[in-house]
Amino acid sequence: MLIDITLKVTPEMMDHTHKNEKKSFDGHMGTHFDVMDQEFPLEYTKRDAVVFDVSKTGDREIETDDIDPARVKAGMFVAFYTGFIERVGYGSKTYFSQHPQLSMDLIDKLLKKNISIIGVDFAGMRRGEEHSPKDQYCAQQGVFIIENLCNLKTLLGRSKHARFVAHTYPLNYAGMTGLPCRVVAQK
């Protein structure tokens, strides 16, 4: 079974987003990678993946204890379902400024596992001034961040985590910090 976990972008959504997020003009619209100054490896287009349901974390940061780290293996695409994109809606000022965050400890533990991709259903692993530096930190270690995923709940069903294969295809742009992409989950 194939499930599209890419946000469908409409002209109205683009207009609304451009008013609230200037970076959306530079490849950061909808579901996209923050590649920073790195090249996305073609072998990352197909990855074993796991999604964790962290929707009960509320307003606090998502911590290592909120997931089962034993389910994370080297080379994986690791996704986090919070439900934020469904609750708040993509493109608003709230969406870009008050989204959930992964804790610094969780990010470091994922990097130590030598994963390939971190996927989130919100606007970034960190907010504000911490967003870009943390994306750069991950990219320099060969880990890319995909923001604004959707339909992750479909993968989970009633489970706290689910395995799948992630097929990810970014556009072949150069010189941009964001690359729009299509992400399809195979269960």
Side-chain angles (χ1 to χ4, degrees), residues 166-180:
H167 299 272
T168 306
Y169 297 95
L171 295 179
N172 196 12
Y173 289 168
M176 299 179 76
T177 59
L179 292 179

Side-chain angles (χ1 to χ4, degrees), residues 27-53:
H28 293 262
M29 172 62 72
T31 304
H32 67 276
F33 281 97
D34 284 350
V35 293
M36 308 314 284
D37 59 355
Q38 305 297 310
E39 184 78 24
F40 180 72
L42 288 178
E43 61 267 18
Y44 283 20
T45 59
K46 183 179 179 185
R47 297 276 100 179
D48 287 334
V50 62
V51 58
F52 292 102
D53 182 347

Side-chain angles (χ1 to χ4, degrees), residues 17-134:
T17 302
H18 289 323
K19 291 175 185 170
N20 293 305
E21 180 57 44
K22 290 181 180 28
K23 278 188 153 187
S24 66
F25 287 105
D26 299 324
H28 293 262
M29 172 62 72
T31 304
H32 67 276
F33 281 97
D34 284 350
V35 293
M36 308 314 284
D37 59 355
Q38 305 297 310
E39 184 78 24
F40 180 72
L42 288 178
E43 61 267 18
Y44 283 20
T45 59
K46 183 179 179 185
R47 297 276 100 179
D48 287 334
V50 62
V51 58
F52 292 102
D53 182 347
V54 292
S55 60
K56 303 276 190 264
T57 56
D59 291 336
R60 69 173 175 77
E61 291 187 351
I62 301 162
E63 299 286 348
T64 305
D65 291 344
D66 294 318
I67 68 167
D68 181 356
R71 299 201 177 274
V72 178
K73 307 294 182 212
M76 288 186 96
F77 178 122
V78 180
F80 294 89
Y81 167 73
T82 65
F84 190 75
I85 199 165
E86 289 91 359
R87 278 193 316 278
V88 175
Y90 176 78
S92 68
K93 190 170 269 313
T94 297
Y95 184 81
F96 292 115
S97 64
Q98 297 177 28
H99 60 79
Q101 298 188 102
L102 302 185
S103 73
M104 299 292 200
D105 180 66
L106 175 57
I107 294 166
D108 285 337
K109 289 215 165 81
L110 291 171
L111 294 176
K112 284 181 183 156
K113 292 259 190 181
N114 295 313
I115 65 168
S116 299
I117 298 170
I118 297 171
V120 296
D121 66 349
F122 44 91
M125 289 189 313
R126 302 293 298 170
R127 287 186 218 125
E129 292 180 6
E130 294 179 349
H131 184 132
S132 292
K134 195 47 90 171

